[in-house]
């Protein structure tokens, strides 16, 4: 039987970061993963250029029953710390939008950095390797696999969530957490397109391909969560960055609200400037919105395409403004884990130590990355959580070397 100081299950972003850091502190580390290819989720992210962090990441950019849990790790290992690592490997990057940082060349560069850090730290790789059973025996863990048995004093679960099953995502980490008595916050797809009842959406299906910036919110009061991002009409519903963002906050049944012109008081424009105008209403609105969407709104309200703006009643113009500024929708559901970029929910963080990621129930058991009930916004936040949680976990593992 092979014995290590640390066994990490899951060779994704969090797992490789933790393995490299722990190994560099002099610990013997075994990294186990069932996949054939290394870092597939990293490889396909950001359109192949990997949105590897967000320069403005704080705990407020995360969804959780206790988002403040993320505060310590994100402060201890920041986006600047990861940029310093990339600088060592001369990886060039650029900011694309709202603090989102991407590789100039390829996401493979991020995989290479993490792999080379693991090699430098003398990490032992077992991949592909299937874990059949895990057991805690006195002061060590026994890991039974198709490549033999392994044991270690500490075990780190870095298996990720259930998003993107085609590249190997499973609920393995949640099963292990349950085995050891941990509470699981109900997992569901996050950062995912929204779909609607087919009959209801039939009236909108002709808008497929239309995109525009909009404000999406969970309600109309000041406490509602809001995002101003692009949305995209599809044949089955809505997608685009704004929809992916709000999907993480949608409770699965309540209506959502969309302001199609978040920066413009369209009601004021419609009511104060119409007198004497010979312009058609659809021509005016097409200065602000895609024409296909304008025609759809007019059709829904029974207004002719040729209707002159000045001839439309104030009451009807207010209805037009309401359709634009407070479009209320209630999705049927999401497009599921197959289309999701992340998983919401996971291992309850109240049962973990925020400074070490260690279980409060089982000594020597750790959870890092997406398997936990910490889900970042779209835009590099989930990768930053992988780096930060993996790093602080590795720092805490140093005590093993000290007490040898």
């Amino acid at each position: 039987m092979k014995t290590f100081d640390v066994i990490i299950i899951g060779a994704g972003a969090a797992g490789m970061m933790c393995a490299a850091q722990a190994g560099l502190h002099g610990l013997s580390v075994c990294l186990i993963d069932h996949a054939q290819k290394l870092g597939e989720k990293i490889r396909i992210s950001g359109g192949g250029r990997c949105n590897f962090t967000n320069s403005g990441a704080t705990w407020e950019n995360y969804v959780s029953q206790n988002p403040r849990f993320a505060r310590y790790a994100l402060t201890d290992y920041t986006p600047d710390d990861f940029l310093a690592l990339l600088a060592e490997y001369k990886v060039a990057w650029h900011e694309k939008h709202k603090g989102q940082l991407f590789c100039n060349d390829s996401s493979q560069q991020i995989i290479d950095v993490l792999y080379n850090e693991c090699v430098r730290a003398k990490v032992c790789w077992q991949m592909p390797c299937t874990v059949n059973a895990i057991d805690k025996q006195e002061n060590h863990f026994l890991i039974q696999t198709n490549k033999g048995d392994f044991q270690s004093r500490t075990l780190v679960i870095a298996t990720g969530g259930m998003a993107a099953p085609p590249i190997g995502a499973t609920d393995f980490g949640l099963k292990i957490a349950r085995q050891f008595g941990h509470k699981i916050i109900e997992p569901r797809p996050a950062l995912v397109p929204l779909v609607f009842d087919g009959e209801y959406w039939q009236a909108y299906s002709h808008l497929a391909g239309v995109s525009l910036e909009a404000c999406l919110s969970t309600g109309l009061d000041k406490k509602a969560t809001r995002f101003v991002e692009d949305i995209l009409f599809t044949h089955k519903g809505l997608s685009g960055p704004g929809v992916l963002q709000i999907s993480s906050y949608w409770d699965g049944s309540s209506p959502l609200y969309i302001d199609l012109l978040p920066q413009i008081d369209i009601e004021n424009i419609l009511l104060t400037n119409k007198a004497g105008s010979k312009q058609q209403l659809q021509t005016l609105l097409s200065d602000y919105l895609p024409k296909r969407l304008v025609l759809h709104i007019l059709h829904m309200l029974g207004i002719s395409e040729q209707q002159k703006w000045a001839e439309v009643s104030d009451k009807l113009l207010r209805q037009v403004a309401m359709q634009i500024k407070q479009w209320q929708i209630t999705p049927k559901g999401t497009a599921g884990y197959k289309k999701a970029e992340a998983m919401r929910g996971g291992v309850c963080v109240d049962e973990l130590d925020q400074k070490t990621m260690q279980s409060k129930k089982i000594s020597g058991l750790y959870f890092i990355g997406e398997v936990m009930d910490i889900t970042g916004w779209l835009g590099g936040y989930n990768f930053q959580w992988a780096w930060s949680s993996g790093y602080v976990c590795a720092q805490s593992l140093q005590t093993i070397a000290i007490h040898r």
Side-chain angles (χ1 to χ4, degrees):
M1 184 182 299
K2 296 180 180 179
T3 301
F4 297 89
D5 292 322
V6 184
I7 290 177
I8 300 172
I9 301 179
M16 284 194 282
M17 170 61 83
C18 186
Q21 289 293 317
L24 291 171
H25 289 310
L27 301 177
S28 59
V29 181
C30 179
L31 187 54
I32 298 174
D33 199 289
H34 71 286
Q36 293 282 344
K37 292 183 178 181
L38 181 64
E40 276 298 281
K41 196 164 187 179
I42 299 174
R43 190 189 314 278
I44 66 173
S45 68
R49 290 192 175 181
C50 189
N51 181 190
F52 57 81
T53 190
N54 192 292
S55 60
T58 75
W59 66 269
E60 296 177 293
N61 304 117
Y62 293 82
V63 186
S64 170
Q65 288 202 345
N66 179 14
R68 285 182 178 269
F69 176 91
R71 190 171 192 166
Y72 178 86
L74 292 169
T75 302
D76 202 41
Y77 191 86
T78 68
D80 284 342
D81 291 318
F82 192 72
L83 289 177
L85 174 62
L86 297 189
E88 291 182 30
Y89 285 86
K90 296 181 172 55
V91 176
W93 54 271
H94 63 277
E95 179 177 344
K96 187 174 181 181
H97 176 64
K98 294 184 178 181
Q100 301 171 13
L101 307 187
F102 292 77
C103 296
N104 283 359
D105 297 325
S106 166
S107 55
Q108 182 62 44
Q109 294 174 289
I110 303 297
I111 300 171
D112 291 344
V113 167
L114 296 169
Y115 176 77
N116 288 325
E117 284 290 280
C118 285
V119 170
R120 189 160 72 95
K122 300 179 180 179
V123 171
C124 174
W125 294 83
Q126 294 295 332
M127 182 181 176
C129 179
T130 301
V131 175
N132 297 321
I134 298 175
D135 188 29
K136 179 77 186 289
Q137 298 181 347
E138 296 182 0
N139 63 346
H140 69 273
F141 292 88
L142 174 64
I143 318 297
Q144 299 175 8
T145 80
N146 66 332
K147 290 190 174 181
D149 294 348
F150 304 86
Q151 68 176 10
S152 64
R153 280 180 284 177
T154 57
L155 174 64
V156 181
I157 304 299
T159 52
M162 294 187 284
I167 59 172
T170 72
D171 64 347
F172 180 83
L174 302 182
K175 290 179 178 178
I176 298 304
R178 290 190 183 99
Q179 174 187 330
F180 287 105
H182 274 274
K183 178 182 177 182
I184 302 299
I185 305 303
E186 180 188 1
R188 60 176 187 259
L191 302 180
V192 62
L194 298 173
V195 297
F196 296 79
D197 178 82
E199 186 175 344
Y200 168 81
W201 198 251
Q202 188 173 3
Y204 298 90
S205 60
H206 68 284
L207 295 174
V210 171
S211 65
L212 71 159
E213 184 180 77
C215 176
L216 296 95
S217 63
T218 55
L220 298 176
D221 58 19
K222 291 183 179 180
K223 293 183 179 180
T225 300
R226 291 178 172 80
F227 292 98
V228 178
E229 294 275 7
D230 286 352
I231 66 171
L232 171 69
F233 286 81
T234 71
H235 289 290
K236 294 183 178 180
L238 294 170
S239 188
V243 174
L244 300 190
Q245 294 282 37
I246 206 69
S247 72
S248 296
Y249 290 86
W250 183 51
D251 63 12
S253 60
S254 299
L256 296 170
Y257 299 85
I258 302 179
D259 180 349
L260 297 170
L261 287 175
Q263 313 300 337
I264 295 171
D265 184 352
I266 192 66
E267 180 176 324
N268 182 61
I269 292 172
L270 288 174
L271 295 178
T272 59
N273 299 320
K274 76 169 189 175
S277 174
K278 297 181 180 180
Q279 191 175 31
Q280 293 178 345
L281 180 58
Q282 67 103 348
T283 303
L284 169 74
L285 292 176
S286 295
D287 288 339
Y288 300 96
L289 294 167
K291 186 174 181 179
R292 271 198 287 164
L293 181 56
V294 169
L295 296 178
H296 172 83
I297 293 171
L298 296 182
H299 174 74
M300 295 285 283
L301 294 174
I303 302 173
S304 167
E305 294 179 26
Q306 285 76 39
Q307 184 74 51
K308 295 288 180 59
W309 175 18
E311 297 171 354
V312 182
S313 69
D314 286 359
K315 180 180 178 180
L316 198 49
L317 288 175
R318 288 191 179 93
Q319 291 180 35
V320 171
M322 181 69 73
Q323 285 290 317
I324 293 171
K325 299 295 287 184
Q326 291 185 20
W327 181 28
Q328 181 178 324
I329 59 170
T330 302
K332 177 183 178 181
T334 73
Y337 285 116
K338 189 175 181 179
K339 297 292 185 180
E341 296 195 16
M343 178 187 79
R344 179 178 173 179
V347 180
C348 179
V349 295
D350 291 339
E351 298 178 348
L352 306 175
D353 185 313
Q354 67 174 336
K355 294 185 177 181
T356 66
M357 306 296 134
Q358 183 172 199
S359 165
K360 295 178 181 178
K361 291 176 171 285
I362 306 294
S363 177
L365 178 63
Y366 298 75
F367 295 90
I368 58 175
E370 192 183 340
V371 73
M372 307 161 65
D373 177 34
I374 297 286
T375 306
W377 290 2
L378 185 73
Y381 297 97
N382 283 305
F383 275 125
Q384 185 56 46
W385 177 244
W387 317 138
S388 297
S389 61
Y391 177 85
V392 297
C393 177
Q395 302 311 299
S396 71
L397 293 171
Q398 290 185 62
T399 57
I400 300 173
I402 295 172
H403 294 101
R404 274 175 175 163

